[in-house]
Coordinates of all heavy atoms in Angstrom, one line a residue:
P1 N 6.9 -22.0 -15.8 CA 7.9 -20.9 -15.5 C 7.3 -19.5 -15.6 O 7.4 -18.7 -14.6 CB 9.0 -21.1 -16.4 CG 9.0 -22.6 -16.7 CD 7.5 -23.0 -16.8
G2 N 6.6 -19.2 -16.7 CA 6.0 -17.9 -16.8 C 5.0 -17.6 -15.8 O 4.7 -16.4 -15.3
E3 N 4.1 -18.6 -15.4 CA 3.1 -18.6 -14.6 C 3.6 -18.3 -13.2 O 3.0 -17.4 -12.5 CB 2.2 -19.9 -14.6 CG 1.2 -19.9 -13.6 CD 0.5 -21.3 -13.5 OE1 1.1 -22.3 -13.9 OE2 -0.6 -21.3 -13.1
L4 N 4.6 -19.0 -12.7 CA 5.4 -18.8 -11.4 C 5.8 -17.3 -11.4 O 5.7 -16.7 -10.4 CB 6.5 -19.7 -11.2 CG 7.2 -19.7 -10.0 CD1 6.1 -19.8 -8.7 CD2 8.2 -20.7 -9.8
K5 N 6.5 -16.9 -12.4 CA 7.0 -15.4 -12.4 C 5.9 -14.4 -12.2 O 6.0 -13.5 -11.4 CB 7.8 -15.1 -13.6 CG 8.4 -13.8 -13.7 CD 9.2 -13.7 -15.0 CE 9.9 -12.3 -15.1 NZ 9.1 -11.1 -15.4
E6 N 4.8 -14.6 -12.9 CA 3.6 -13.8 -12.8 C 3.0 -13.7 -11.4 O 2.7 -12.7 -10.8 CB 2.6 -14.0 -13.9 CG 1.4 -13.0 -13.9 CD 0.5 -13.4 -15.0 OE1 0.7 -14.3 -15.7 OE2 -0.5 -12.6 -15.0
A7 N 2.9 -15.0 -10.9 CA 2.4 -15.1 -9.5 C 3.2 -14.4 -8.5 O 2.8 -13.8 -7.6 CB 2.2 -16.7 -9.2
Y8 N 4.5 -14.6 -8.6 CA 5.5 -14.0 -7.7 C 5.4 -12.5 -7.7 O 5.2 -11.8 -6.7 CB 6.9 -14.4 -8.0 CG 7.9 -13.8 -7.3 CD1 8.4 -14.1 -5.9 CD2 8.6 -12.7 -7.8 CE1 9.2 -13.4 -5.2 CE2 9.6 -11.9 -7.1 CZ 10.0 -12.4 -5.9 OH 10.9 -11.7 -5.2
E9 N 5.4 -12.0 -8.9 CA 5.4 -10.4 -9.1 C 4.0 -9.9 -8.5 O 4.0 -8.9 -7.8 CB 5.6 -10.2 -10.6 CG 7.1 -10.4 -10.9 CD 7.3 -10.2 -12.3 OE1 6.3 -10.1 -13.2 OE2 8.6 -10.1 -12.7
N10 N 2.9 -10.6 -8.8 CA 1.6 -10.2 -8.4 C 1.6 -10.1 -6.7 O 1.0 -9.2 -6.2 CB 0.6 -11.0 -8.9 CG 0.3 -10.8 -10.4 OD1 0.6 -9.7 -10.9 ND2 -0.3 -11.8 -11.1
L11 N 2.1 -11.3 -6.2 CA 2.1 -11.3 -4.7 C 2.9 -10.2 -4.0 O 2.6 -9.7 -3.0 CB 2.6 -12.8 -4.2 CG 1.6 -13.9 -4.5 CD1 2.3 -15.2 -4.3 CD2 0.3 -13.8 -3.7
V12 N 4.1 -10.0 -4.7 CA 5.0 -8.8 -4.2 C 4.2 -7.5 -4.2 O 4.2 -6.7 -3.3 CB 6.2 -8.8 -5.0 CG1 7.0 -7.5 -4.7 CG2 7.1 -10.0 -4.6
R13 N 3.6 -7.2 -5.5 CA 2.7 -6.1 -5.5 C 1.7 -5.9 -4.5 O 1.4 -4.9 -3.9 CB 2.2 -5.9 -7.0 CG 3.2 -5.5 -8.1 CD 2.6 -5.1 -9.3 NE 1.9 -6.2 -10.0 CZ 2.6 -6.9 -10.9 NH1 3.8 -6.7 -11.3 NH2 1.9 -7.9 -11.4
M14 N 0.9 -6.9 -4.3 CA -0.2 -7.0 -3.4 C 0.4 -6.8 -1.9 O -0.3 -6.0 -1.2 CB -0.9 -8.4 -3.5 CG -1.7 -8.5 -4.7 SD -2.3 -10.2 -4.9 CE -3.2 -10.5 -3.3
A15 N 1.6 -7.3 -1.6 CA 2.1 -7.2 -0.3 C 2.5 -5.7 -0.1 O 2.4 -5.2 1.0 CB 3.3 -8.2 -0.2
E16 N 3.2 -5.1 -1.1 CA 3.4 -3.8 -1.1 C 2.2 -2.8 -0.9 O 2.3 -1.8 -0.1 CB 4.4 -3.3 -2.3 CG 5.7 -4.1 -2.3 CD 6.3 -3.8 -3.6 OE1 5.8 -3.4 -4.6 OE2 7.6 -3.9 -3.7
R17 N 1.2 -3.0 -1.6 CA 0.0 -2.3 -1.5 C -0.6 -2.4 0.0 O -1.0 -1.5 0.6 CB -1.0 -2.7 -2.5 CG -0.6 -2.3 -3.9 CD -1.9 -2.5 -4.9 NE -1.4 -2.4 -6.3 CZ -1.4 -3.4 -7.0 NH1 -1.7 -4.7 -6.6 NH2 -1.0 -3.3 -8.3
R18 N -0.7 -3.7 0.4 CA -1.1 -4.0 1.8 C -0.3 -3.2 2.9 O -0.9 -2.6 3.8 CB -1.2 -5.4 2.1 CG -1.9 -5.9 3.2 CD -1.9 -7.4 3.4 NE -2.4 -8.0 2.3 CZ -1.7 -8.9 1.5 NH1 -0.5 -9.1 1.7 NH2 -2.3 -9.5 0.4
A19 N 0.9 -3.2 2.6 CA 1.9 -2.5 3.6 C 1.6 -1.1 3.6 O 1.6 -0.4 4.6 CB 3.2 -2.9 3.4
A20 N 1.5 -0.5 2.4 CA 1.1 0.9 2.3 C -0.1 1.3 2.9 O -0.4 2.3 3.5 CB 1.3 1.4 0.8
G21 N -1.1 0.4 2.6 CA -2.5 0.7 3.3 C -2.4 0.7 4.8 O -3.1 1.4 5.4
M22 N -1.6 -0.2 5.4 CA -1.6 -0.3 6.8 C -0.9 1.1 7.3 O -1.4 1.5 8.4 CB -0.7 -1.4 7.3 CG -1.3 -2.8 7.0 SD -0.3 -4.2 7.4 CE 0.0 -4.0 9.1
F23 N 0.1 1.6 6.7 CA 0.6 2.8 7.1 C -0.4 3.9 6.9 O -0.5 4.8 7.8 CB 1.9 3.2 6.3 CG 2.5 4.6 6.7 CD1 3.2 4.6 7.7 CD2 2.1 5.7 6.0 CE1 3.7 5.9 8.2 CE2 2.7 6.8 6.2 CZ 3.5 7.0 7.4
Q24 N -1.2 3.9 5.9 CA -2.3 5.0 5.8 C -3.2 4.9 6.9 O -3.7 5.9 7.3 CB -2.9 4.7 4.4 CG -4.0 5.8 4.1 CD -4.7 5.6 2.8 OE1 -4.0 5.2 1.9 NE2 -6.0 5.8 2.8
K25 N -3.6 3.8 7.2 CA -4.5 3.6 8.4 C -3.8 4.1 9.6 O -4.6 4.9 10.5 CB -4.9 2.1 8.6 CG -5.8 1.5 7.6 CD -6.0 0.1 7.8 CE -6.9 -0.5 6.7 NZ -7.2 -2.1 7.0
E26 N -2.6 4.0 9.8 CA -2.0 4.5 11.0 C -2.0 6.1 11.0 O -2.4 6.8 12.0 CB -0.5 4.1 11.1 CG 0.3 4.7 12.2 CD 1.8 4.4 12.2 OE1 2.2 3.5 11.4 OE2 2.5 4.8 13.0
V27 N -1.9 6.7 9.8 CA -2.0 8.1 9.6 C -3.4 8.5 10.0 O -3.5 9.5 10.7 CB -1.7 8.5 8.2 CG1 -1.8 10.0 8.0 CG2 -0.1 8.2 7.9
V28 N -4.4 7.7 9.6 CA -5.7 8.1 10.0 C -6.0 8.1 11.4 O -6.6 9.0 11.9 CB -6.7 7.1 9.1 CG1 -8.1 7.4 9.7 CG2 -6.7 7.4 7.6
L29 N -5.5 7.0 12.0 CA -5.9 6.9 13.5 C -5.1 8.0 14.3 O -5.7 8.4 15.3 CB -5.3 5.6 14.0 CG -6.0 4.3 13.5 CD1 -5.4 3.0 13.8 CD2 -7.4 4.4 14.1
R30 N -4.0 8.4 13.9 CA -3.2 9.3 14.7 C -3.3 10.8 14.2 O -2.9 11.7 15.0 CB -1.7 8.9 14.6 CG -1.5 7.4 15.2 CD -0.1 7.1 15.2 NE 0.7 7.8 16.1 CZ 2.1 7.6 16.4 NH1 2.6 6.6 15.8 NH2 2.7 8.4 17.2
T31 N -3.7 11.1 13.0 CA -3.7 12.4 12.5 C -5.0 12.8 11.9 O -5.3 14.0 11.6 CB -2.6 12.7 11.5 OG1 -2.9 11.9 10.3 CG2 -1.3 12.3 12.1
G32 N -5.9 11.9 11.6 CA -7.2 12.2 11.1 C -7.2 12.1 9.5 O -6.2 11.8 8.8
N33 N -8.4 12.1 8.9 CA -8.6 11.8 7.4 C -7.9 12.8 6.6 O -7.5 12.5 5.4 CB -10.1 11.8 7.2 CG -10.7 10.6 7.6 OD1 -10.2 9.5 7.7 ND2 -11.9 10.7 8.1
E34 N -7.8 14.1 6.9 CA -7.0 15.0 6.2 C -5.6 14.7 5.9 O -5.1 14.8 4.8 CB -7.2 16.4 6.8 CG -6.5 17.5 6.0 CD -7.2 17.7 4.6 OE1 -8.3 17.3 4.2 OE2 -6.4 18.3 3.7
A35 N -4.9 14.3 6.9 CA -3.6 13.8 6.9 C -3.5 12.6 6.0 O -2.5 12.5 5.2 CB -3.0 13.5 8.2
A36 N -4.3 11.7 6.1 CA -4.3 10.6 5.2 C -4.6 10.9 3.7 O -3.9 10.4 2.9 CB -5.5 9.5 5.5
R37 N -5.4 11.9 3.4 CA -5.5 12.5 2.1 C -4.2 13.0 1.7 O -3.8 12.8 0.4 CB -6.7 13.6 2.0 CG -6.9 14.0 0.6 CD -7.8 15.2 0.6 NE -7.3 16.3 1.3 CZ -6.3 17.1 0.7 NH1 -6.0 16.9 -0.5 NH2 -6.0 18.2 1.3
M38 N -3.5 13.8 2.5 CA -2.2 14.3 2.1 C -1.3 13.3 1.8 O -0.4 13.5 0.8 CB -1.8 15.3 3.3 CG -2.7 16.5 3.5 SD -2.3 17.4 4.9 CE -0.6 17.9 4.7
Y39 N -1.4 12.2 2.6 CA -0.4 11.2 2.4 C -0.6 10.5 1.1 O 0.4 10.3 0.3 CB -0.4 10.2 3.5 CG 0.4 8.9 3.3 CD1 1.8 9.0 3.4 CD2 -0.1 7.7 2.9 CE1 2.7 7.9 3.1 CE2 0.7 6.6 2.6 CZ 2.1 6.8 2.8 OH 2.9 5.6 2.4
R40 N -1.9 10.3 0.7 CA -2.1 9.7 -0.6 C -1.7 10.5 -1.7 O -1.2 10.0 -2.7 CB -3.7 9.4 -0.8 CG -4.1 8.3 0.2 CD -5.6 7.8 -0.3 NE -6.5 8.9 -0.2 CZ -7.2 9.2 0.9 NH1 -7.1 8.5 1.9 NH2 -8.1 10.1 0.8
N41 N -1.8 11.9 -1.6 CA -1.4 12.8 -2.7 C 0.0 13.0 -2.8 O 0.5 13.4 -3.7 CB -2.1 14.1 -2.5 CG -3.7 13.9 -2.7 OD1 -4.1 12.9 -3.3 ND2 -4.4 14.9 -2.2
R42 N 0.7 12.7 -1.8 CA 2.2 12.9 -1.7 C 2.8 11.8 -1.0 O 3.4 11.8 0.0 CB 2.4 14.2 -1.0 CG 3.9 14.8 -1.1 CD 4.0 16.1 -0.4 NE 5.3 16.5 -0.3 CZ 5.8 17.4 0.5 NH1 4.9 17.8 1.5 NH2 7.0 17.8 0.6

């Protein structure tokens, strides 16, 4: 049970980071690296 809970929560966190990374790549493609830096900082 504890192992499953930890695995679930880790997979959710990884999915959220991956989704945020995909958005950041979109910012880079459409606005350049400076906009991506601004997005990371805010």
